[in-house]
Amino acid sequence: MSKVVAVIYVSMDGVVQDPAWTGPYWTDEHARFQSGQLFASRALLLGRKTYDGMSVAWPKMEGAPGAAEMNGLPKYVASTTLRDPEWNATVIEGDVAEEVAKLRAEEGGDLLIYGSIDLLNYLIGHKLVDELKLFLHPVVVGSGKRLFAEGVESTKWKLAGTATFSSGAIVLDYRPAAGS
């Protein structure tokens, strides 16, 4: 069985949108952490907006560390409008929760979510996220889409570990609490 693992860049005020604000905190330590997550994965799960941005950027990074792995991984995109996916992608058709549950039931590495906050929240609501790694950056952005929207259903998580970086960023590794 695979795990659904989300690695989400978040500011101290909960903003996840357009994470260009993470740039000043990116170090070799961050790169090693992200490479470990990528290499443990067999596919990416993405929402349409995240797919659109990544599918333009990553193919242009040929030769950069991790680019071959990122570009080579299968991608599953939750979208009702994407018709001709590229970048080694397949559109998830039909019931997204059902299709992700099928992918999760297969043997192999992790199913990795980057960004894709609407998809992440949908999968959390369907109890399909096994690890939530919040990559917290020491910055207050002030405005933008938040990790959890107002009125989201309550869920409980337990802290499974932390990673700290010399930049001041930390990763808080959460797992669903028993009974959640």
Side-chain angles (χ1 to χ4, degrees), residues 102-115:
K102 286 179 188 175
L103 290 169
R104 189 173 171 236
E106 296 173 5
E107 293 296 323
D110 298 338
L111 300 167
L112 183 59
I113 299 174
Y114 284 138

Side-chain angles (χ1 to χ4, degrees), residues 68-121:
E69 291 78 12
M70 179 67 80
N71 290 323
L73 275 179
K75 288 92 180 162
Y76 295 94
V77 184
S79 173
T80 58
T81 58
L82 182 61
R83 297 289 173 244
D84 297 312
E86 298 178 359
W87 195 46
N88 200 24
T90 301
V91 175
I92 298 174
E93 296 183 10
D95 184 311
V96 171
E98 183 179 313
E99 293 303 313
V100 170
K102 286 179 188 175
L103 290 169
R104 189 173 171 236
E106 296 173 5
E107 293 296 323
D110 298 338
L111 300 167
L112 183 59
I113 299 174
Y114 284 138
S116 307
I117 300 307
D118 293 337
L119 174 62
L120 173 63
N121 280 294

Side-chain angles (χ1 to χ4, degrees), residues 129-147:
V129 176
D130 300 290
E131 298 181 15
L132 179 58
K133 297 180 185 232
L134 302 180
F135 209 129
L136 182 64
H137 292 77
V139 62
V140 174
V141 177
S143 65
K145 187 172 192 167
R146 307 286 190 215
L147 177 58

Side-chain angles (χ1 to χ4, degrees), residues 39-80:
F39 297 153
S41 302
R42 68 177 176 92
L44 294 180
L45 293 176
L46 302 170
R48 173 66 188 263
K49 290 178 188 173
T50 303
Y51 165 80
D52 283 346
M54 291 179 77
S55 68
V56 170
W58 277 98
K60 295 175 184 173
M61 293 187 213
E62 189 173 311
E69 291 78 12
M70 179 67 80
N71 290 323
L73 275 179
K75 288 92 180 162
Y76 295 94
V77 184
S79 173
T80 58

